Amino acid sequence: AYNCPSCGAELICDASTAATSCPYCGNPTVVPGQFSGALKPDFVLPFKLSKEDAVAALKNHYKGKPLLPKAFTNGNHIEEIKGVYVPFWLFDANASGSGQYEATTSSSHRNGDYVITTTRHYDVRRAGTTQFMGVPVDGSTKMPNGHMDAIEPYDYRAFQPFSTAYLPGYMADKYDEDADTCQARAHSRMRNSVSSELSASITGYNSVSTLSENIHIDYTAKHYALLPVWMLHTKWNGKDFLFAMNGQTGKLVGDLPTDMGKF
């Protein structure tokens, strides 16, 4: 394991790795010693897609973009993509919600020289319960949350009990945000999901406005897991560009710059 002196990421790689570069910031690093003191994850989701799959996906992502800087399309650059087991907290919970809404319907008809519009107002109530299993929140401050949300979902049926046997050939990040810190994001995602489901059940009206909602979430379990991500970091014109691909499904996300010279 080593700590990146640039961004502080604590990463684990196999014993044969003597020098590498940080997948988060691109800083070259020499691996100094052995890993110690890590909290053992509960589960690991093994990589399903190989480096060749990731390179092909990235080349396809770059394809047909003539204004992309040459630094991005360079073959040597693309080969620097790395497989990283990213730390995630997974939350299980039971949720209940209720809401009061004002809804309207409108109809119009002509009466001589006048158009008469009739608007009816309705008092709408909704309530329900739901269960959440494994809501994921990445436990790394170096990884942009938007990237991790965008490459979801993962198929948890492929989870395996954690073993270091899955690590050789990849790097594994150690979490630097604990479960209590990450629970706030999970809580927000669950609340938004319950609110959306309540609102989606109100149909047949011309307009609906929310008067009040009461949502309660009761957490039942949490798990620490490592999920597979292919990552490539690029610096261009002083800006950082990070690409992330789901190592199980191949879903990819990343921002692309425009070379104004080519433009």
Side-chain angles (χ1 to χ4, degrees), residues 33 61 65 82 98 134 162 191 200 204 209 212 237 242 247:
H61 186 61
K65 298 178 174 64
K82 293 179 175 62
S98 60
F162 177 75
R191 281 188 60 88
S209 58
S212 65
N237 278 4
L242 183 67

Side-chain angles (χ1 to χ4, degrees), residues 70-230:
K70 187 178 179 180
F72 278 71
T73 55
N74 182 286
N76 293 334
H77 158 74
I78 295 176
E79 289 294 333
E80 292 174 5
I81 194 166
K82 293 179 175 62
V84 181
Y85 281 108
V86 177
F88 274 82
W89 293 102
L90 310 177
F91 298 92
D92 300 345
N94 296 319
S96 60
S98 60
Q100 182 179 359
Y101 311 86
E102 181 181 3
T104 64
T105 60
S106 296
S107 59
S108 300
H109 67 277
R110 179 171 291 278
N111 185 359
D113 294 334
Y114 299 94
V115 174
I116 299 174
T117 299
T118 302
T119 300
R120 293 180 170 84
H121 296 261
Y122 298 88
D123 177 22
V124 181
R125 309 291 176 97
R126 288 290 186 273
T129 60
T130 191
Q131 187 177 30
F132 291 97
M133 300 292 290
V135 175
V137 179
D138 69 276
S140 173
T141 56
K142 287 82 63 181
M143 177 63 74
N145 294 332
H147 283 61
M148 291 296 93
D149 292 348
I151 62 173
E152 291 179 19
Y154 288 90
D155 184 356
Y156 292 164
R157 291 175 296 182
F159 264 145
Q160 300 295 327
F162 177 75
S163 168
T164 54
Y166 294 103
L167 299 185
Y170 305 100
M171 289 191 288
D173 191 5
K174 178 185 175 184
Y175 76 85
D176 59 2
E177 288 185 306
D178 61 20
D180 292 339
T181 302
C182 292
Q183 185 171 304
R185 279 193 65 221
H187 195 85
S188 177
R189 296 185 71 176
M190 293 180 197
R191 281 188 60 88
N192 290 340
S193 294
V194 173
S195 178
S196 295
E197 287 299 313
L198 289 172
S199 298
S201 70
I202 304 172
T203 59
Y205 301 98
N206 296 123
S207 71
V208 178
S209 58
T210 302
L211 298 179
S212 65
E213 282 183 341
N214 182 29
I215 298 171
H216 177 72
I217 298 173
D218 179 28
Y219 292 89
T220 56
K222 63 185 176 187
H223 303 283
Y224 176 38
L226 299 180
L227 303 185
V229 181
W230 285 103

